[in-house]
Amino acid sequence: MTTTVTAPVAEPEVHRRLRRRPPAHIRNGRALLLGIGGYGLIGLFAMVLGTLIGAKGAFNGLILVAVVVLPVVVITWGVVRLTKRRTTLSWLLAIAVAGVIMVVLGYLIVTMGSRMADPNATFFGQLMLLMPFVLALFSTWNFGRGRAWFDGTVERQLRPEESGARPIDAPLTSREAALPASALAASSVEIVPAATSMSAYVTAPATQPLLTVQGLKKHFPIYGGMLRRQVGTVYAVDGVDFEIMPGETFSLVGESGCGKTTLGRTVIQLTPSTDGRVVFDGYELADVDPDDMRPLRRRMQIIFQDPFGSLNPRMPVSDLIGEGLLSQGLSDRRARDKRVEDALELVGLRREYSRRYPHEFSGGQRQRIGVARALALGPDFIVADEPVSALDVSIQSQVLNLLLDLKRDLNLTYLFISHNLSVVQYFSDRVGVMYLGKIVEIGTVEQLYADPRHPYTVALLSAIPEADPRRRRKRLVLKGDVPSPAAPPSGCRFHTRCWLRERMGNPERCSTEEPVLRVYGQEGHRVACHFSEDLTKETVSTAVAEAPAVALAAVEDE
């Protein structure tokens, strides 16, 4: 029996910790405090409008509102900015400002009737003051609930020049040519030289991975009932560990609904994580403040799965691709349009296409526009979320070859998400197999396709169709349906459908003990199965031969 050991992901080197995203109570308290200032500005605008149309008493009201509201707006804005420092003083100031506003408004609401003779004016005046009073009340309550976040940590916002990103106005070329010599000398990433042979796609040696994921979780609450209380949880991603080296293509495969897309979106912080760590080139990313993520957005982009739904039909291509450039500070329209045209030319489209709208393009051209949008900011890491699944076969090959050429020319690193195992075999360096929110096997393409060690991987590989229609591959059909991610099975999540467990007499260990991702055989091959050593070619052949004829016929008819 092969000796196996647990294979934890290597501890990454962290050289910059970004600011954490505030908890929900702090975010709500900030929003409510700013809402008070916004409500005051609306009142000020109403008084200005009344003065312009000559309403009775509007000018006096304008003077009063301006004297009271403008200082409140400035104070609330300053306090909200100060709370980002996470000091006890900033928390006390936020509580004090919200509390004083609440007390003053409450006093005015209670005493307004004794100071105004007109009951109608009293009613509407109290009604106007009630809204900011409620905002101040709930703002105070939220800041009080979030007291633990103000622990005195002094954090500084990440500046663009510190992120390691290419300059926003740099040409779309290789990272080695785009970065200054000082940045290259300080970088630990070895650049893959441009070449015309397939050797250019081999991962360059590096001491540190570009991306490290440790125990990453993303859970979605399920709400129900009249009061919309949480009644359950969807465990979309539930403890995932892997790393991606610079210049590598790491693929995720698995059935629909296993959490591949959620994992990709969580890695680049489009969706905040529930727990776990994500370290990108030395930067801690999990649950990061959006302002700190903005400079790093240049270095990580995503190609969305749907080439139709991911493009706004009301915007021309120049605005679709240039939107990211504008948000990153490239305000010069001419420079932005030139960068957009360069990106289009890079993906094989004409420069004049920048003036067209998405409905004027075919599916393959739209996907190329999506690739150009991801490349416009000069990223180092791209999440390709099933970029060819919505295209026909001839267009798929064009887009895949385009991505390979861009990887070679621009020194890109991919997280490639797909359910097409043939595409993954052609495109990838390493592969991770996901099932119900967890990775069950990781290995190089050669290791995984020649010697799969997890029963789920074996079943997936048996479903790859043969190119020759005269040859029939023997299918290993799994029984039952995929369990709900809201109620995953105990122990090994695959045990309810595992053909290997059934052949071994249904050992209790599979349903009670969760397998860890451990090293098997060659270095880099990891598998999460208690009985991976018992999986042999003879076992697989016997399982295929004993598969029910009804199940095989049902699969062949699909």
Side-chain angles (χ1 to χ4, degrees), residues 16-46:
R16 179 72 156 84
R17 295 186 180 275
L18 305 182
R19 295 182 302 171
R20 302 293 94 187
R21 181 192 301 268
H25 291 299
I26 302 302
R27 296 199 302 270
N28 294 338
R30 289 175 177 175
L32 292 169
L33 200 58
L34 288 176
I36 297 172
Y39 190 84
L41 289 178
I42 293 175
L44 182 62
F45 175 76

PDB file of all heavy atoms in Angstrom, residues 16-46:
ATOM      1  N   ARG A  16       2.134  42.480   2.283  1.00  0.00           N
ATOM      2  CA  ARG A  16       1.247  43.635   2.467  1.00  0.00           C
ATOM      3  C   ARG A  16      -0.147  43.145   2.839  1.00  0.00           C
ATOM      4  O   ARG A  16      -0.771  42.416   2.085  1.00  0.00           O
ATOM      5  CB  ARG A  16       1.172  44.454   1.171  1.00  0.00           C
ATOM      6  CG  ARG A  16       0.235  45.672   1.251  1.00  0.00           C
ATOM      7  CD  ARG A  16       0.867  46.748   2.133  1.00  0.00           C
ATOM      8  NE  ARG A  16       0.371  48.072   1.824  1.00  0.00           N
ATOM      9  CZ  ARG A  16      -0.758  48.599   2.299  1.00  0.00           C
ATOM     10  NH1 ARG A  16      -1.505  47.895   3.116  1.00  0.00           N
ATOM     11  NH2 ARG A  16      -1.123  49.814   1.980  1.00  0.00           N
ATOM     12  N   ARG A  17      -0.603  43.505   4.016  1.00  0.00           N
ATOM     13  CA  ARG A  17      -1.958  43.150   4.446  1.00  0.00           C
ATOM     14  C   ARG A  17      -2.884  44.323   4.130  1.00  0.00           C
ATOM     15  O   ARG A  17      -2.683  45.430   4.624  1.00  0.00           O
ATOM     16  CB  ARG A  17      -1.987  42.826   5.935  1.00  0.00           C
ATOM     17  CG  ARG A  17      -1.191  41.582   6.287  1.00  0.00           C
ATOM     18  CD  ARG A  17      -1.356  41.209   7.749  1.00  0.00           C
ATOM     19  NE  ARG A  17      -0.592  40.017   8.066  1.00  0.00           N
ATOM     20  CZ  ARG A  17      -1.010  38.787   7.893  1.00  0.00           C
ATOM     21  NH1 ARG A  17      -2.219  38.582   7.391  1.00  0.00           N
ATOM     22  NH2 ARG A  17      -0.261  37.746   8.202  1.00  0.00           N
ATOM     23  N   LEU A  18      -3.872  44.076   3.326  1.00  0.00           N
ATOM     24  CA  LEU A  18      -4.802  45.118   2.933  1.00  0.00           C
ATOM     25  C   LEU A  18      -5.839  45.342   4.022  1.00  0.00           C
ATOM     26  O   LEU A  18      -6.028  44.517   4.913  1.00  0.00           O
ATOM     27  CB  LEU A  18      -5.484  44.728   1.621  1.00  0.00           C
ATOM     28  CG  LEU A  18      -4.541  44.407   0.456  1.00  0.00           C
ATOM     29  CD1 LEU A  18      -5.337  44.085  -0.790  1.00  0.00           C
ATOM     30  CD2 LEU A  18      -3.584  45.553   0.192  1.00  0.00           C
ATOM     31  N   ARG A  19      -6.519  46.449   3.921  1.00  0.00           N
ATOM     32  CA  ARG A  19      -7.546  46.778   4.914  1.00  0.00           C
ATOM     33  C   ARG A  19      -8.719  45.813   4.797  1.00  0.00           C
ATOM     34  O   ARG A  19      -9.139  45.460   3.706  1.00  0.00           O
ATOM     35  CB  ARG A  19      -8.031  48.211   4.716  1.00  0.00           C
ATOM     36  CG  ARG A  19      -6.964  49.255   4.984  1.00  0.00           C
ATOM     37  CD  ARG A  19      -7.529  50.643   4.808  1.00  0.00           C
ATOM     38  NE  ARG A  19      -8.067  50.835   3.468  1.00  0.00           N
ATOM     39  CZ  ARG A  19      -8.778  51.886   3.092  1.00  0.00           C
ATOM     40  NH1 ARG A  19      -9.049  52.836   3.953  1.00  0.00           N
ATOM     41  NH2 ARG A  19      -9.217  51.998   1.853  1.00  0.00           N
ATOM     42  N   ARG A  20      -9.235  45.398   5.939  1.00  0.00           N
ATOM     43  CA  ARG A  20     -10.362  44.465   5.941  1.00  0.00           C
ATOM     44  C   ARG A  20     -11.658  45.184   5.589  1.00  0.00           C
ATOM     45  O   ARG A  20     -11.848  46.359   5.914  1.00  0.00           O
ATOM     46  CB  ARG A  20     -10.529  43.819   7.314  1.00  0.00           C
ATOM     47  CG  ARG A  20      -9.325  43.060   7.825  1.00  0.00           C
ATOM     48  CD  ARG A  20      -9.049  41.819   6.996  1.00  0.00           C
ATOM     49  NE  ARG A  20      -8.075  42.080   5.939  1.00  0.00           N
ATOM     50  CZ  ARG A  20      -7.758  41.221   4.997  1.00  0.00           C
ATOM     51  NH1 ARG A  20      -8.344  40.052   4.960  1.00  0.00           N
ATOM     52  NH2 ARG A  20      -6.864  41.528   4.100  1.00  0.00           N
ATOM     53  N   ARG A  21     -12.576  44.466   4.980  1.00  0.00           N
ATOM     54  CA  ARG A  21     -13.916  44.994   4.741  1.00  0.00           C
ATOM     55  C   ARG A  21     -14.636  45.129   6.082  1.00  0.00           C
ATOM     56  O   ARG A  21     -14.652  44.187   6.875  1.00  0.00           O
ATOM     57  CB  ARG A  21     -14.677  44.049   3.826  1.00  0.00           C
ATOM     58  CG  ARG A  21     -16.094  44.513   3.488  1.00  0.00           C
ATOM     59  CD  ARG A  21     -16.863  43.391   2.835  1.00  0.00           C
ATOM     60  NE  ARG A  21     -16.226  42.945   1.624  1.00  0.00           N
ATOM     61  CZ  ARG A  21     -16.496  43.410   0.412  1.00  0.00           C
ATOM     62  NH1 ARG A  21     -17.415  44.341   0.272  1.00  0.00           N
ATOM     63  NH2 ARG A  21     -15.863  42.952  -0.646  1.00  0.00           N
ATOM     64  N   PRO A  22     -15.242  46.288   6.373  1.00  0.00           N
ATOM     65  CA  PRO A  22     -15.948  46.439   7.654  1.00  0.00           C
ATOM     66  C   PRO A  22     -17.112  45.461   7.741  1.00  0.00           C
ATOM     67  O   PRO A  22     -17.706  45.087   6.726  1.00  0.00           O
ATOM     68  CB  PRO A  22     -16.444  47.889   7.621  1.00  0.00           C
ATOM     69  CG  PRO A  22     -15.617  48.570   6.586  1.00  0.00           C
ATOM     70  CD  PRO A  22     -15.277  47.525   5.585  1.00  0.00           C
ATOM     71  N   PRO A  23     -17.473  45.032   8.948  1.00  0.00           N
ATOM     72  CA  PRO A  23     -18.643  44.155   9.093  1.00  0.00           C
ATOM     73  C   PRO A  23     -19.925  44.879   8.716  1.00  0.00           C
ATOM     74  O   PRO A  23     -19.953  46.105   8.558  1.00  0.00           O
ATOM     75  CB  PRO A  23     -18.618  43.779  10.578  1.00  0.00           C
ATOM     76  CG  PRO A  23     -17.820  44.853  11.235  1.00  0.00           C
ATOM     77  CD  PRO A  23     -16.813  45.307  10.230  1.00  0.00           C
ATOM     78  N   ALA A  24     -20.998  44.119   8.596  1.00  0.00           N
ATOM     79  CA  ALA A  24     -22.265  44.675   8.114  1.00  0.00           C
ATOM     80  C   ALA A  24     -22.775  45.804   9.004  1.00  0.00           C
ATOM     81  O   ALA A  24     -23.311  46.805   8.509  1.00  0.00           O
ATOM     82  CB  ALA A  24     -23.312  43.563   8.015  1.00  0.00           C
ATOM     83  N   HIS A  25     -22.615  45.678  10.320  1.00  0.00           N
ATOM     84  CA  HIS A  25     -23.119  46.720  11.220  1.00  0.00           C
ATOM     85  C   HIS A  25     -22.393  48.043  10.984  1.00  0.00           C
ATOM     86  O   HIS A  25     -23.030  49.116  10.995  1.00  0.00           O
ATOM     87  CB  HIS A  25     -22.957  46.285  12.674  1.00  0.00           C
ATOM     88  CG  HIS A  25     -23.856  45.152  13.064  1.00  0.00           C
ATOM     89  ND1 HIS A  25     -25.223  45.244  13.012  1.00  0.00           N
ATOM     90  CD2 HIS A  25     -23.579  43.894  13.502  1.00  0.00           C
ATOM     91  CE1 HIS A  25     -25.760  44.106  13.408  1.00  0.00           C
ATOM     92  NE2 HIS A  25     -24.790  43.268  13.711  1.00  0.00           N
ATOM     93  N   ILE A  26     -21.096  47.989  10.761  1.00  0.00           N
ATOM     94  CA  ILE A  26     -20.342  49.228  10.530  1.00  0.00           C
ATOM     95  C   ILE A  26     -20.719  49.832   9.181  1.00  0.00           C
ATOM     96  O   ILE A  26     -20.890  51.055   9.054  1.00  0.00           O
ATOM     97  CB  ILE A  26     -18.829  48.958  10.607  1.00  0.00           C
ATOM     98  CG1 ILE A  26     -18.462  48.377  11.972  1.00  0.00           C
ATOM     99  CG2 ILE A  26     -18.042  50.243  10.355  1.00  0.00           C
ATOM    100  CD1 ILE A  26     -18.838  49.254  13.133  1.00  0.00           C
ATOM    101  N   ARG A  27     -20.856  48.992   8.169  1.00  0.00           N
ATOM    102  CA  ARG A  27     -21.260  49.512   6.859  1.00  0.00           C
ATOM    103  C   ARG A  27     -22.648  50.139   6.919  1.00  0.00           C
ATOM    104  O   ARG A  27     -22.889  51.207   6.331  1.00  0.00           O
ATOM    105  CB  ARG A  27     -21.235  48.385   5.817  1.00  0.00           C
ATOM    106  CG  ARG A  27     -19.862  47.803   5.568  1.00  0.00           C
ATOM    107  CD  ARG A  27     -19.822  47.048   4.244  1.00  0.00           C
ATOM    108  NE  ARG A  27     -20.793  45.971   4.182  1.00  0.00           N
ATOM    109  CZ  ARG A  27     -20.569  44.726   4.563  1.00  0.00           C
ATOM    110  NH1 ARG A  27     -19.367  44.404   5.063  1.00  0.00           N
ATOM    111  NH2 ARG A  27     -21.483  43.792   4.453  1.00  0.00           N
ATOM    112  N   ASN A  28     -23.554  49.500   7.641  1.00  0.00           N
ATOM    113  CA  ASN A  28     -24.900  50.074   7.781  1.00  0.00           C
ATOM    114  C   ASN A  28     -24.868  51.382   8.567  1.00  0.00           C
ATOM    115  O   ASN A  28     -25.579  52.342   8.220  1.00  0.00           O
ATOM    116  CB  ASN A  28     -25.821  49.069   8.472  1.00  0.00           C
ATOM    117  CG  ASN A  28     -26.075  47.837   7.632  1.00  0.00           C
ATOM    118  OD1 ASN A  28     -25.918  47.875   6.401  1.00  0.00           O
ATOM    119  ND2 ASN A  28     -26.461  46.741   8.255  1.00  0.00           N
ATOM    120  N   GLY A  29     -24.063  51.417   9.632  1.00  0.00           N
ATOM    121  CA  GLY A  29     -23.971  52.647  10.408  1.00  0.00           C
ATOM    122  C   GLY A  29     -23.423  53.798   9.594  1.00  0.00           C
ATOM    123  O   GLY A  29     -23.923  54.936   9.679  1.00  0.00           O
ATOM    124  N   ARG A  30     -22.408  53.534   8.779  1.00  0.00           N
ATOM    125  CA  ARG A  30     -21.856  54.579   7.909  1.00  0.00           C
ATOM    126  C   ARG A  30     -22.900  55.065   6.910  1.00  0.00           C
ATOM    127  O   ARG A  30     -23.064  56.277   6.683  1.00  0.00           O
ATOM    128  CB  ARG A  30     -20.645  54.044   7.152  1.00  0.00           C
ATOM    129  CG  ARG A  30     -19.412  53.806   7.996  1.00  0.00           C
ATOM    130  CD  ARG A  30     -18.345  53.173   7.131  1.00  0.00           C
ATOM    131  NE  ARG A  30     -17.097  52.972   7.830  1.00  0.00           N
ATOM    132  CZ  ARG A  30     -16.044  52.354   7.313  1.00  0.00           C
ATOM    133  NH1 ARG A  30     -16.112  51.868   6.083  1.00  0.00           N
ATOM    134  NH2 ARG A  30     -14.935  52.220   8.007  1.00  0.00           N
ATOM    135  N   ALA A  31     -23.596  54.128   6.284  1.00  0.00           N
ATOM    136  CA  ALA A  31     -24.587  54.504   5.277  1.00  0.00           C
ATOM    137  C   ALA A  31     -25.711  55.337   5.886  1.00  0.00           C
ATOM    138  O   ALA A  31     -26.168  56.320   5.289  1.00  0.00           O
ATOM    139  CB  ALA A  31     -25.146  53.249   4.612  1.00  0.00           C
ATOM    140  N   LEU A  32     -26.163  54.959   7.072  1.00  0.00           N
ATOM    141  CA  LEU A  32     -27.235  55.706   7.719  1.00  0.00           C
ATOM    142  C   LEU A  32     -26.775  57.102   8.124  1.00  0.00           C
ATOM    143  O   LEU A  32     -27.535  58.077   8.009  1.00  0.00           O
ATOM    144  CB  LEU A  32     -27.729  54.938   8.946  1.00  0.00           C
ATOM    145  CG  LEU A  32     -28.462  53.629   8.654  1.00  0.00           C
ATOM    146  CD1 LEU A  32     -28.660  52.836   9.940  1.00  0.00           C
ATOM    147  CD2 LEU A  32     -29.799  53.896   7.981  1.00  0.00           C
ATOM    148  N   LEU A  33     -25.516  57.201   8.578  1.00  0.00           N
ATOM    149  CA  LEU A  33     -24.995  58.513   8.966  1.00  0.00           C
ATOM    150  C   LEU A  33     -24.871  59.428   7.753  1.00  0.00           C
ATOM    151  O   LEU A  33     -25.196  60.623   7.819  1.00  0.00           O
ATOM    152  CB  LEU A  33     -23.643  58.338   9.656  1.00  0.00           C
ATOM    153  CG  LEU A  33     -23.162  59.492  10.537  1.00  0.00           C
ATOM    154  CD1 LEU A  33     -24.175  59.799  11.632  1.00  0.00           C
ATOM    155  CD2 LEU A  33     -21.815  59.156  11.157  1.00  0.00           C
ATOM    156  N   LEU A  34     -24.415  58.870   6.640  1.00  0.00           N
ATOM    157  CA  LEU A  34     -24.367  59.660   5.406  1.00  0.00           C
ATOM    158  C   LEU A  34     -25.769  59.987   4.912  1.00  0.00           C
ATOM    159  O   LEU A  34     -25.985  61.033   4.281  1.00  0.00           O
ATOM    160  CB  LEU A  34     -23.598  58.902   4.327  1.00  0.00           C
ATOM    161  CG  LEU A  34     -22.085  58.803   4.504  1.00  0.00           C
ATOM    162  CD1 LEU A  34     -21.477  57.946   3.402  1.00  0.00           C
ATOM    163  CD2 LEU A  34     -21.447  60.193   4.500  1.00  0.00           C
ATOM    164  N   GLY A  35     -26.727  59.085   5.184  1.00  0.00           N
ATOM    165  CA  GLY A  35     -28.106  59.357   4.787  1.00  0.00           C
ATOM    166  C   GLY A  35     -28.681  60.576   5.471  1.00  0.00           C
ATOM    167  O   GLY A  35     -29.513  61.297   4.894  1.00  0.00           O
ATOM    168  N   ILE A  36     -28.248  60.835   6.704  1.00  0.00           N
ATOM    169  CA  ILE A  36     -28.712  62.038   7.409  1.00  0.00           C
ATOM    170  C   ILE A  36     -28.242  63.289   6.670  1.00  0.00           C
ATOM    171  O   ILE A  36     -29.003  64.228   6.439  1.00  0.00           O
ATOM    172  CB  ILE A  36     -28.206  62.040   8.856  1.00  0.00           C
ATOM    173  CG1 ILE A  36     -28.793  60.841   9.618  1.00  0.00           C
ATOM    174  CG2 ILE A  36     -28.562  63.344   9.558  1.00  0.00           C
ATOM    175  CD1 ILE A  36     -28.203  60.655  10.999  1.00  0.00           C
ATOM    176  N   GLY A  37     -26.967  63.283   6.280  1.00  0.00           N
ATOM    177  CA  GLY A  37     -26.459  64.421   5.517  1.00  0.00           C
ATOM    178  C   GLY A  37     -27.164  64.565   4.175  1.00  0.00           C
ATOM    179  O   GLY A  37     -27.472  65.677   3.732  1.00  0.00           O
ATOM    180  N   GLY A  38     -27.417  63.432   3.512  1.00  0.00           N
ATOM    181  CA  GLY A  38     -28.125  63.500   2.238  1.00  0.00           C
ATOM    182  C   GLY A  38     -29.542  64.026   2.392  1.00  0.00           C
ATOM    183  O   GLY A  38     -30.030  64.789   1.546  1.00  0.00           O
ATOM    184  N   TYR A  39     -30.217  63.633   3.457  1.00  0.00           N
ATOM    185  CA  TYR A  39     -31.572  64.129   3.720  1.00  0.00           C
ATOM    186  C   TYR A  39     -31.550  65.643   3.949  1.00  0.00           C
ATOM    187  O   TYR A  39     -32.436  66.367   3.481  1.00  0.00           O
ATOM    188  CB  TYR A  39     -32.140  63.413   4.936  1.00  0.00           C
ATOM    189  CG  TYR A  39     -33.601  63.658   5.177  1.00  0.00           C
ATOM    190  CD1 TYR A  39     -34.565  62.907   4.514  1.00  0.00           C
ATOM    191  CD2 TYR A  39     -34.024  64.642   6.065  1.00  0.00           C
ATOM    192  CE1 TYR A  39     -35.920  63.129   4.732  1.00  0.00           C
ATOM    193  CE2 TYR A  39     -35.375  64.883   6.289  1.00  0.00           C
ATOM    194  CZ  TYR A  39     -36.311  64.115   5.621  1.00  0.00           C
ATOM    195  OH  TYR A  39     -37.641  64.343   5.833  1.00  0.00           O
ATOM    196  N   GLY A  40     -30.522  66.115   4.649  1.00  0.00           N
ATOM    197  CA  GLY A  40     -30.399  67.556   4.856  1.00  0.00           C
ATOM    198  C   GLY A  40     -30.157  68.301   3.560  1.00  0.00           C
ATOM    199  O   GLY A  40     -30.696  69.396   3.346  1.00  0.00           O
ATOM    200  N   LEU A  41     -29.364  67.719   2.657  1.00  0.00           N
ATOM    201  CA  LEU A  41     -29.119  68.376   1.366  1.00  0.00           C
ATOM    202  C   LEU A  41     -30.394  68.440   0.535  1.00  0.00           C
ATOM    203  O   LEU A  41     -30.612  69.408  -0.204  1.00  0.00           O
ATOM    204  CB  LEU A  41     -28.034  67.618   0.610  1.00  0.00           C
ATOM    205  CG  LEU A  41     -26.610  67.741   1.167  1.00  0.00           C
ATOM    206  CD1 LEU A  41     -25.654  66.902   0.353  1.00  0.00           C
ATOM    207  CD2 LEU A  41     -26.155  69.201   1.179  1.00  0.00           C
ATOM    208  N   ILE A  42     -31.229  67.410   0.649  1.00  0.00           N
ATOM    209  CA  ILE A  42     -32.513  67.445  -0.061  1.00  0.00           C
ATOM    210  C   ILE A  42     -33.377  68.588   0.466  1.00  0.00           C
ATOM    211  O   ILE A  42     -34.019  69.324  -0.301  1.00  0.00           O
ATOM    212  CB  ILE A  42     -33.242  66.102   0.085  1.00  0.00           C
ATOM    213  CG1 ILE A  42     -32.472  65.006  -0.645  1.00  0.00           C
ATOM    214  CG2 ILE A  42     -34.664  66.190  -0.456  1.00  0.00           C
ATOM    215  CD1 ILE A  42     -33.057  63.622  -0.449  1.00  0.00           C
ATOM    216  N   GLY A  43     -33.399  68.768   1.804  1.00  0.00           N
ATOM    217  CA  GLY A  43     -34.144  69.881   2.388  1.00  0.00           C
ATOM    218  C   GLY A  43     -33.597  71.228   1.956  1.00  0.00           C
ATOM    219  O   GLY A  43     -34.351  72.168   1.682  1.00  0.00           O
ATOM    220  N   LEU A  44     -32.264  71.326   1.876  1.00  0.00           N
ATOM    221  CA  LEU A  44     -31.647  72.565   1.419  1.00  0.00           C
ATOM    222  C   LEU A  44     -32.034  72.872  -0.019  1.00  0.00           C
ATOM    223  O   LEU A  44     -32.339  74.018  -0.379  1.00  0.00           O
ATOM    224  CB  LEU A  44     -30.123  72.454   1.558  1.00  0.00           C
ATOM    225  CG  LEU A  44     -29.308  73.687   1.176  1.00  0.00           C
ATOM    226  CD1 LEU A  44     -29.661  74.864   2.085  1.00  0.00           C
ATOM    227  CD2 LEU A  44     -27.810  73.379   1.264  1.00  0.00           C
ATOM    228  N   PHE A  45     -32.040  71.838  -0.867  1.00  0.00           N
ATOM    229  CA  PHE A  45     -32.440  72.033  -2.258  1.00  0.00           C
ATOM    230  C   PHE A  45     -33.895  72.476  -2.354  1.00  0.00           C
ATOM    231  O   PHE A  45     -34.254  73.329  -3.189  1.00  0.00           O
ATOM    232  CB  PHE A  45     -32.239  70.722  -3.028  1.00  0.00           C
ATOM    233  CG  PHE A  45     -32.726  70.768  -4.439  1.00  0.00           C
ATOM    234  CD1 PHE A  45     -32.012  71.420  -5.428  1.00  0.00           C
ATOM    235  CD2 PHE A  45     -33.936  70.155  -4.780  1.00  0.00           C
ATOM    236  CE1 PHE A  45     -32.484  71.469  -6.733  1.00  0.00           C
ATOM    237  CE2 PHE A  45     -34.406  70.190  -6.081  1.00  0.00           C
ATOM    238  CZ  PHE A  45     -33.682  70.852  -7.066  1.00  0.00           C
ATOM    239  N   ALA A  46     -34.761  71.917  -1.494  1.00  0.00           N
ATOM    240  CA  ALA A  46     -36.168  72.310  -1.507  1.00  0.00           C
ATOM    241  C   ALA A  46     -36.332  73.784  -1.132  1.00  0.00           C
ATOM    242  O   ALA A  46     -37.160  74.505  -1.722  1.00  0.00           O
ATOM    243  CB  ALA A  46     -36.963  71.412  -0.556  1.00  0.00           C
TER     244      ALA A  46
END
